[in-house]
Amino acid sequence: MYKINLNEKFARTLKAINVTDPKAKDKSVYQTLNDKHDILFVLDPSKYIAADFNLSIRKVLSSITENINIDLNSFLDLLDQKYHQEFVSIFLSNHEFINAKIFTLKTAKNNDEITHNYILSDSYKDLINLSNILVEAENFSRKLQLMPSNYLNPKKFIEFVKNEFKPFQEQIDLEVFEPNQLKEMGMGLLLGVGNSANDEDKPRLLVIKSKNYSMNNKSLALVGKGITFDTGGVCLKPSNYLAGMQYDMSGAAVVAGVMLALTKAKVTSNVCVVIPLAVNDISNLAIKTGDVLTSYSKKTVEIENTDAEGRLILADAISYAKKDLKAGTILTIATLTGAIVVAFGGIHTGMWATSKDQETQIKKAAIQAGEYVWHMPFHFTYDEQMKHSLLADYINCAPGRNCGSSTAATFLKFFAEDANFLHLDIAGTNEIKTKNGNEPYPAMLRSLFYFTKNNF
């Protein structure tokens, strides 16, 4: 994807200088200085943190509106070698995110695209291959995120994914469960959420397994929420909350992207991906508050709020990962709750984990990827809240507004049973600000790639 040129060909160059350089007038950790010839990125190598750098370089690249040279050597020469791979991945990811034209329906095309010239010595070129693979995977996930719901429904999501994985049939197994199969299987939660949609929008389940996937306690199932549009159901969202609900399949896009990156990089991992897909629509067939549904696990759920639909489709997918795939660790990722946005804004992804060791490994992977993640609690009082029903084993939404993200994570944990369970809520981090405004972002994709590669 990236062709590295060794000769400068544009008038100005973006390059890093040490905070001790006389040109760095201010002793900031990360700062840019502009002069007639160069764009100087002031860097303090002793205080380098990947996630902070990620935010800073994104702002710099977003502000550049001209063709420039980018002197990667100047950055890498200042950083310890242990940071080189993560730096290149973060840098190229941000550059591609800001400048790539992934998916658009505009009739007027922009012919004034920015083209940068990278300056990189031969000794660093081996860093580019993996970085390109991660960028390609992120771009595929972004393409799915950007598609409006009339271009991307459950059926079309699967078609796009199947087409993307077609060259890798020797490395993966891909299986699709159609609505009639889901009914036979008894996936009552997934079917309940998607029941009001038309035929093409009906719910489906997509499963992608590595060829070396083994059903044992060392296996990992990545489960991503795939609501291709969320109206809220009969608990209809206010109009200002409906904007952006085509992004409610971001978790599904992320796990598909993770599997694509692992496959392209030929990483040998004991991993599978489970993607429940549905449209949370409105019709006379829609589920209503007070309804009781029977899950794939045979546990019953009372519907307290039809807008708490993501956890319902994830619950059946978790049960499938546990019951049919015998996954030892199950990780869910979803734009699950507005409460996590209140807690962290768009900075941190919320994380819940039943295993302290795996919690640590996720944090390490996020540091490597340059993404912010913050540990959130499970507690027995959340268990009690989610069991507060006269009719069913669980309710799908705890009453009141308190601890909304944690009670949602607790609901999912029930269906993982004795498997190690991790949950990532990306409702606040699946968008980032660029020069084009807010754009969907496949949050935690790189983190999950490293987590899977290093541990499974």
Side-chain angles (χ1 to χ4, degrees), residues 274-404:
V274 183
I275 300 176
L277 293 152
V279 178
N280 189 23
D281 216 332
I282 307 169
S283 81
N284 62 318
L285 300 176
I287 55 173
K288 297 171 280 295
T289 54
D291 287 355
V292 175
L293 303 178
T294 302
S295 69
Y296 186 54
S297 71
K298 305 307 179 188
K299 296 291 186 180
T300 52
V301 178
E302 181 179 355
I303 304 304
E304 189 77 16
N305 186 340
T306 64
D307 196 21
E309 86 299 329
R311 65 198 70 180
L312 294 173
I313 71 168
L314 286 170
D316 271 354
I318 291 168
S319 294
Y320 181 85
K322 172 61 182 171
K323 179 180 173 182
D324 293 62
L325 301 178
K326 305 292 191 293
T329 295
I330 299 171
L331 183 150
T332 55
I333 180 166
T335 48
L336 203 65
T337 65
I340 204 68
V341 185
V342 175
F344 294 141
I347 305 299
H348 289 79
T349 289
M351 173 186 62
W352 291 257
T354 60
S355 163
K356 189 70 175 177
D357 178 62
Q358 290 185 344
E359 173 195 328
T360 300
Q361 294 306 318
I362 283 283
K363 288 178 179 178
K364 286 181 178 179
I367 289 170
Q368 188 177 0
E371 297 184 283
Y372 294 108
V373 66
W374 197 265
H375 176 64
M376 297 286 282
F378 285 122
H379 195 271
F380 71 87
T381 58
Y382 305 152
D383 291 30
E384 293 169 356
Q385 289 181 60
M386 300 313 292
K387 294 177 180 178
H388 189 69
S389 171
L390 295 175
L391 301 174
D393 297 305
Y394 310 123
I395 55 174
N396 78 318
C397 185
R401 301 181 64 185
N402 295 337
C403 310

Side-chain angles (χ1 to χ4, degrees), residues 121-190:
S121 63
D122 288 338
S123 61
Y124 290 134
K125 282 190 177 181
D126 59 335
L127 302 175
I128 296 297
N129 184 52
L130 178 58
S131 301
N132 280 342
I133 287 172
L134 289 170
V135 166
E136 289 167 357
E138 286 184 316
N139 283 345
F140 172 64
S141 296
R142 285 177 59 207
K143 177 182 177 181
L144 295 173
Q145 288 177 295
L146 282 165
M147 288 182 174
S149 63
N150 60 326
Y151 280 76
L152 187 79
N153 56 27
K155 183 178 179 180
K156 290 176 181 176
F157 183 103
I158 290 170
E159 289 173 359
F160 283 119
V161 171
K162 287 174 74 173
N163 186 62
E164 195 71 22
F165 279 88
K166 192 175 291 182
F168 309 106
Q169 294 181 22
E170 294 182 358
Q171 293 171 255
I172 59 103
D173 290 316
L174 191 150
E175 189 172 10
V176 177
F177 295 92
E178 300 290 343
N180 60 327
Q181 294 173 286
L182 298 178
K183 187 174 182 179
E184 291 175 5
M185 294 164 70
M187 289 210 166
L189 302 184
L190 177 54

Side-chain angles (χ1 to χ4, degrees), residues 391-449:
L391 301 174
D393 297 305
Y394 310 123
I395 55 174
N396 78 318
C397 185
R401 301 181 64 185
N402 295 337
C403 310
S405 295
S406 291
T407 53
T410 297
F411 177 82
L412 297 177
K413 181 191 66 171
F414 292 147
F415 295 88
E417 300 178 11
D418 61 349
N420 292 326
F421 178 66
L422 301 104
H423 171 60
L424 300 171
D425 194 334
I426 58 171
T429 51
N430 74 314
E431 287 185 320
I432 61 173
K433 292 181 180 179
T434 71
K435 59 189 176 186
N436 301 317
N438 283 354
E439 295 188 49
Y441 174 70
M444 298 300 290
L445 190 158
R446 272 179 284 136
S447 297
L448 291 182
F449 173 85

Side-chain angles (χ1 to χ4, degrees), residues 17-29:
I17 60 172
N18 197 301
V19 70
T20 59
D21 191 298
K23 294 180 181 178
K25 300 172 186 177
D26 188 282
K27 305 301 182 184
S28 300
V29 179

